Amino acid sequence: MSDDRRLDVLRAIVEDYVSTGEPVGSRALVERHNLGVSPATIRNDMAALEEGGYIAQPHTSAGRVPTDKGYRVFVDRLATVKPLSAPEKRAIGQLLEDAVDLDDVVDRSVRLLAQLTHQVAVVQYPSLRRSALRHIELVPVGARHLLVVLITDTGRVEQRTLETPGDVDELVVVRLRAAVNAHVAGRRLAELGDAVEDLAAAFGPQDGALLRQVVDVVAETLAQESEERVVLAGTANLARGGGQDFVRTIGPVLEALEEQVVLLRLLSEMAEDAASVSVRIGRETQHDGLVETSFVTSGYGDEGGASLARVGAIGPLRMDYPGTMASVRAVARYLTRILAG
């Protein structure tokens, strides 16, 4: 669709429908928008938009509402994502910068985004596979147990306990800790195996065996699927913002949100989008439970361009797309800044 005037009509229909929740008629468009054409011309444009599948008439003698296709054109033609106000930016910065660790950052972020967007907020934990290792701590726990603590550059902390074949020598543990950290600090977790192979040769057979135990524990930690986690907040917003028709279909949406595998698949697919803010609308989610929703996401965690995880908001098709996109992008940028610091 290339007719600029019809794009203006479509934009006006989307904005009015998002604002009022009521089907939009030609008379309302004339009264609320300075489109510079006659009511008859607007009716013709609306007929063309309906024929093209961009708007639809929900029932006889009603105005028109946007379709998935119409929302997609509206989102794609947004010239810019409107910036947040200075008070909103300050509020985000103050809330997130006071966080004490990664769990606190994620918890604050998801609650804040739910408040900003009035949607369901989603924050994905940074993946261990895409993180770099900042430090490994080895702590003797009793005579024959060793606590292995992994700390990543994103602030994520994982810990495991291993049983040693013999009594733990604290001097050996100190030596192992220093040697391991000297070789692995700053490396991506997927690169650790090669990094410590040469290191094992520097220790005697017994100490080398303990080193390999530590490496095996690290590898097992990386392999666990539980590392892929998402946190939700604002589920109650679904019952408030989508209108009565949406509330009647809320059950399948809630069921889909409970399936983390669904959200993780969507987040993974949206990570491949070139845009800084990605939007999936209705059936683009490819999940029956989410056909009445839209999902707005942005990557965070790496100022170099490749994101470690994503943050987003899910809400009804009739959402404030410019405002939601701006909020998601702003929270993602603050998350990146905090994790980089």
Side-chain angles (χ1 to χ4, degrees), residues 124 130 262-273 280 310:
Q124 179 185 22
R130 292 190 295 271
V262 172
L263 296 179
L264 288 169
R265 173 186 62 80
L266 275 168
L267 290 166
S268 177
E269 291 174 354
M270 297 174 80
E272 299 175 1
D273 294 346
R280 293 290 174 91
R310 297 189 77 77

Side-chain angles (χ1 to χ4, degrees), residues 261-310:
V261 65
V262 172
L263 296 179
L264 288 169
R265 173 186 62 80
L266 275 168
L267 290 166
S268 177
E269 291 174 354
M270 297 174 80
E272 299 175 1
D273 294 346
S276 61
V277 180
S278 302
V279 184
R280 293 290 174 91
I281 298 170
R283 289 177 174 78
E284 294 175 356
T285 62
Q286 298 183 13
H287 190 282
D288 291 343
L290 298 176
V291 293
E292 297 296 328
T293 68
S294 290
F295 194 7
V296 179
T297 73
S298 182
Y300 76 89
D302 189 343
E303 293 183 322
S307 63
L308 295 175
R310 297 189 77 77

Side-chain angles (χ1 to χ4, degrees), residues 6-312:
R6 288 177 183 169
L7 282 172
D8 289 340
V9 172
L10 175 62
R11 186 192 69 251
I13 292 172
V14 171
E15 291 174 352
D16 280 9
Y17 184 59
V18 167
S19 174
T20 68
E22 299 293 333
V24 182
S26 58
R27 178 178 300 177
L29 292 178
V30 171
E31 293 173 350
R32 297 173 186 162
H33 300 273
N34 182 23
L35 296 172
V37 294
S38 68
T41 299
I42 290 177
R43 286 193 292 271
N44 289 337
D45 289 338
M46 292 178 70
L49 289 168
E50 185 171 9
E51 184 177 354
Y54 300 98
I55 59 176
Q57 188 176 30
H59 48 81
T60 308
S61 301
R64 304 301 190 270
V65 300
T67 63
D68 289 9
K69 186 177 179 181
Y71 283 122
R72 169 50 61 193
V73 170
F74 173 80
V75 169
D76 289 347
R77 296 303 178 101
L78 287 175
T80 57
V81 176
K82 69 178 184 181
L84 297 184
S85 66
E88 288 173 323
K89 290 179 180 178
R90 282 196 300 271
I92 294 174
Q94 290 170 358
L95 180 66
L96 296 187
E97 287 167 6
D98 289 338
V100 296
D101 56 25
L102 180 62
D103 289 335
D104 195 20
V105 168
V106 170
D107 181 65
R108 289 170 181 248
S109 298
V110 75
R111 289 188 288 108
L112 172 64
L113 189 57
Q115 294 171 4
L116 289 172
T117 63
H118 307 293
Q119 316 290 356
V120 179
V122 179
V123 177
Q124 179 185 22
Y125 267 80
S127 170
L128 285 175
R129 291 188 179 91
R130 292 190 295 271
S131 301
L133 192 63
R134 179 176 293 167
H135 184 74
I136 289 181
E137 186 60 47
L138 304 178
V139 182
V141 182
R144 303 187 66 171
H145 290 86
L146 192 66
L147 179 66
V148 181
V149 182
L150 282 68
I151 305 172
T152 73
D153 60 344
T154 60
R156 184 165 177 175
V157 178
E158 296 287 335
Q159 59 185 37
R160 300 291 186 271
T161 302
L162 62 85
E163 184 175 357
T164 62
D167 290 347
V168 175
D169 185 332
E170 293 196 15
L171 291 177
V172 172
V173 170
V174 170
R175 184 170 168 235
L176 278 175
R177 181 193 303 126
V180 168
N181 282 297
H183 280 71
V184 303
R187 292 180 180 267
R188 295 290 176 187
L189 298 183
E191 304 168 354
L192 294 187
D194 294 338
V196 298
E197 276 303 316
D198 295 337
L199 182 60
F203 290 84
Q206 184 175 348
D207 297 342
L210 180 57
L211 174 64
R212 284 194 167 84
Q213 273 190 285
V214 172
V215 173
D216 288 344
V217 167
V218 173
E220 290 170 7
T221 303
L222 302 184
Q224 290 183 351
E225 293 185 3
S226 60
E227 69 162 298
E228 301 293 351
R229 288 193 290 156
V230 293
V231 179
L232 305 182
T235 306
N237 289 332
L238 291 174
R240 293 192 283 262
Q244 291 302 313
D245 290 340
F246 181 74
V247 170
R248 284 193 290 269
T249 64
I250 202 172
V253 178
L254 294 175
E255 291 175 3
L257 293 180
E258 289 178 356
E259 299 179 38
Q260 288 211 355
V261 65
V262 172
L263 296 179
L264 288 169
R265 173 186 62 80
L266 275 168
L267 290 166
S268 177
E269 291 174 354
M270 297 174 80
E272 299 175 1
D273 294 346
S276 61
V277 180
S278 302
V279 184
R280 293 290 174 91
I281 298 170
R283 289 177 174 78
E284 294 175 356
T285 62
Q286 298 183 13
H287 190 282
D288 291 343
L290 298 176
V291 293
E292 297 296 328
T293 68
S294 290
F295 194 7
V296 179
T297 73
S298 182
Y300 76 89
D302 189 343
E303 293 183 322
S307 63
L308 295 175
R310 297 189 77 77
V311 56

